[in-house]
């Protein structure tokens, strides 16, 4: 395996094929903030976590349920906000809505588009009907 650290803070992992040694495939790698985390909140239904930090990002972590496997693992599945200032605070105001505050002393409101909710449903295995019921 080869693991690399990218300029923007992400980790990348490749695994060598056991049969064809010239073939490498990307693998799932751990991710997260690369500076201090300042605030963390669960969504109102307790199915995902959202966090803000001094790396100027908002990140969403959720369970990833693969169809063929019984094991569920947690991963960063979205960065709904990449900002130019350090992020300080966060409040969930709805199922897929949040407000964040940064060093610039401005609050910003975010609402997930339908496409994100559909992708979230596919990744987590939570039916769309349940996700959109409120």
């Amino acid at each position: 395996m080869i693991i690399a650290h990218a300029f923007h803070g992400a980790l990348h992992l490749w695994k060598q094929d056991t049969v064809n040694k010239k073939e490498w495939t990307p693998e799932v790698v751990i991710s997260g903030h690369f500076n201090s985390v300042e605030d963390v909140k669960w969504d109102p239904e307790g199915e995902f976590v959202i966090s803000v930090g001094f790396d100027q990002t908002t990140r969403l972590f959720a369970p990833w349920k693969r169809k063929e496997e019984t094991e569920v693992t947690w991963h960063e599945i979205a960065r709904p906000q990449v900002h130019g200032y350090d992020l300080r605070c966060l409040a969930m105001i709805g199922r897929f809505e949040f407000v964040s505050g940064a060093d610039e002393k401005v609050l910003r409101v975010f609402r997930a588009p339908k496409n994100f909710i559909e992708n979230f449903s596919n990744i987590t295995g939570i039916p769309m009907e349940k996700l959109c019921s409120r």
Side-chain angles (χ1 to χ4, degrees):
M1 292 184 170
I2 296 175
I3 191 162
H5 181 264
F7 174 75
H8 61 329
L11 294 174
H12 299 275
L13 175 67
W14 293 273
K15 183 177 181 182
Q16 189 176 36
D17 189 82
T18 55
V19 177
N20 181 357
K21 298 294 185 186
K22 292 184 177 182
E23 190 169 316
W24 293 80
T25 56
E27 297 288 319
V28 176
V29 68
I30 191 168
S31 64
H33 293 277
F34 59 89
N35 208 331
S36 66
V37 173
E38 295 299 306
D39 206 353
V40 177
K41 297 287 188 270
W42 282 95
D43 91 289
E45 299 296 318
E47 292 174 331
F48 65 87
V49 174
I50 191 165
S51 60
V52 296
F54 278 6
D55 63 355
Q56 304 178 351
T57 64
T58 301
R59 299 177 188 231
L60 191 146
F61 299 87
W64 181 9
K65 184 175 183 184
R66 295 174 191 89
K67 290 181 176 36
E68 317 80 48
E69 298 181 24
T70 56
E71 181 182 13
V72 175
T73 55
W74 280 73
H75 298 273
E76 176 186 338
I77 63 164
R79 290 186 193 176
Q81 182 183 21
V82 178
H83 202 290
Y85 288 90
D86 293 341
L87 293 163
R88 297 250 176 209
C89 59
L90 171 70
M92 294 296 297
I93 58 173
R95 182 65 195 266
F96 289 100
E97 299 173 299
F98 70 92
V99 178
S100 67
D103 274 348
E104 64 180 327
K105 298 179 180 75
V106 172
L107 298 176
R108 289 189 164 75
V109 180
F110 294 86
R111 177 179 297 142
K114 184 178 180 188
N115 179 262
F116 172 81
I117 299 170
E118 289 169 347
N119 289 333
F120 183 87
S121 174
N122 290 332
I123 291 169
T124 62
I126 303 169
M128 279 293 290
E129 301 75 37
K130 182 178 180 194
L131 293 175
C132 298
S133 64
R134 293 184 182 223

